[in-house]
Amino acid sequence: MPYLFSFLLWLSALASFAQNPKLKIKHLTGDLYVYTTYSTYKGAVTDANAVYLVTNKGVVVIDAPWDTTQFQPFLDSIQAKHHQKVVLAIATHSHGDRAGGLAFFKSKGIKTYTNKLTDEILKTNKEPRAAYTFTNDTTFTVGQYKINTYYAGKGHTKDNLVIWFPKDKVLFGGCLIKSTEAGDLGYIGEADLAAWPKSIEKLKQKYPNTKFVITGHDAWGNRESLDHTQKLLREKKL
């Protein structure tokens, strides 16, 4: 009987995972998944993409759900689908669609990291900060995987990082890279429009064999997103 009860709980959690319209999770490649949540920006419901990696030592989350009501459902979904706990969370810059889950993740005993620039911005804005910081590009080893952080320079913000998954040749660009669906650069209140094209060019040179490029918003795809971001930046200067 206890086994039946446990099985029914698992089925219930899995059903919630599959039917939750506010949290969409899609397998990308290997042990990598893209997850999408939603918030309202300029009066319109807007998506935000992030990723997680399942290792044999736990799950690594890059960024956080944009919708705060989805923090716990997100962890529950991972547990139901993968039977793993999240052990590490890295935020790629200071905005709420990236660093908004730091306090929640910390409260769950998850190790949280940002780069030093992000930490300084969060501190200045009196917002929750990660438990740990790093100054230089850093490689995290979790289980059988390596995860690389890379700072190409200023762009969408002065602190925007990208994450490289070398085994699968996947680049998570976050808000530094615009989707090919994007008609403009989105929020540029903290952007450096002069430095941004150079940062994208650095990414193109550093990761020439990228199979997937995950953008912070809208549909993600391949290296065309890098070219499209540069095109939008050129148009912005006209």
Side-chain angles (χ1 to χ4, degrees):
M1 198 66 171
Y3 295 106
L4 176 60
F5 181 68
S6 297
F7 179 69
L8 290 174
L9 281 178
W10 177 81
L11 282 180
S12 176
L14 199 59
S16 297
F17 167 83
Q19 298 172 8
N20 186 350
K22 295 182 178 181
L23 170 66
K24 295 181 180 178
I25 298 176
K26 183 173 183 178
H27 178 246
L28 179 62
T29 183
D31 290 315
L32 269 169
Y33 294 77
V34 179
Y35 70 95
T36 304
T37 53
Y38 303 85
S39 189
T40 302
Y41 176 68
K42 290 187 175 180
V45 175
T46 306
D47 63 18
N49 302 317
V51 299
Y52 69 83
L53 174 69
V54 181
T55 82
N56 56 20
K57 297 295 183 181
V59 176
V60 178
V61 170
I62 308 301
D63 292 332
W66 197 5
D67 180 353
T68 59
T69 69
Q70 295 308 302
F71 287 166
Q72 188 61 53
F74 174 57
L75 296 189
D76 293 343
S77 295
I78 288 176
Q79 182 66 45
K81 183 172 179 64
H82 307 291
H83 311 290
Q84 290 268 27
K85 293 186 179 299
V86 176
V87 296
L88 173 65
I90 304 169
T92 56
H93 69 265
S94 65
H95 290 166
D97 57 340
R98 306 296 146 193
L102 289 174
F104 175 80
F105 288 148
K106 284 171 70 175
S107 75
K108 297 296 180 178
I110 298 167
K111 289 185 177 180
T112 52
Y113 282 85
T114 63
N115 71 0
K116 193 66 176 173
L117 275 173
T118 298
D119 184 65
E120 290 170 356
I121 294 170
L122 293 172
K123 181 179 179 181
T124 298
N125 293 340
K126 298 181 178 179
E127 295 174 350
R129 298 155 65 191
Y132 306 97
T133 62
F134 50 89
T135 302
N136 301 315
D137 298 331
T138 301
T139 297
F140 292 86
T141 301
V142 183
Q144 73 275 41
Y145 287 104
K146 293 185 183 300
I147 303 147
N148 306 133
T149 74
Y150 178 59
Y151 178 69
K154 298 176 182 178
H156 170 69
T157 59
K158 68 179 182 180
D159 62 323
N160 41 212
L161 287 179
V162 300
I163 307 292
W164 175 246
F165 298 92
K167 181 177 180 181
D168 296 297
K169 293 182 171 54
V170 171
L171 178 65
F172 176 72
C175 299
L176 180 63
I177 304 176
K178 303 301 294 182
S179 166
T180 55
E181 286 188 342
D184 58 45
L185 294 167
Y187 173 67
I188 56 172
E190 299 166 52
D192 189 323
L193 297 179
W196 200 339
K198 300 172 188 175
S199 299
I200 297 297
E201 192 60 37
K202 283 184 181 179
L203 291 181
K204 292 169 74 173
Q205 297 299 320
K206 187 171 180 66
Y207 305 115
N209 299 315
T210 306
K211 290 183 179 178
F212 296 99
V213 177
I214 310 303
T215 55
H217 302 280
D218 300 320
W220 41 267
N222 54 30
R223 290 175 60 81
E224 290 180 7
S225 299
L226 298 166
D227 295 329
H228 185 66
T229 304
Q230 289 181 317
K231 176 177 179 289
L232 291 175
L233 286 160
R234 287 194 298 271
E235 292 173 350
K236 183 66 178 178
K237 290 183 177 181
L238 296 178

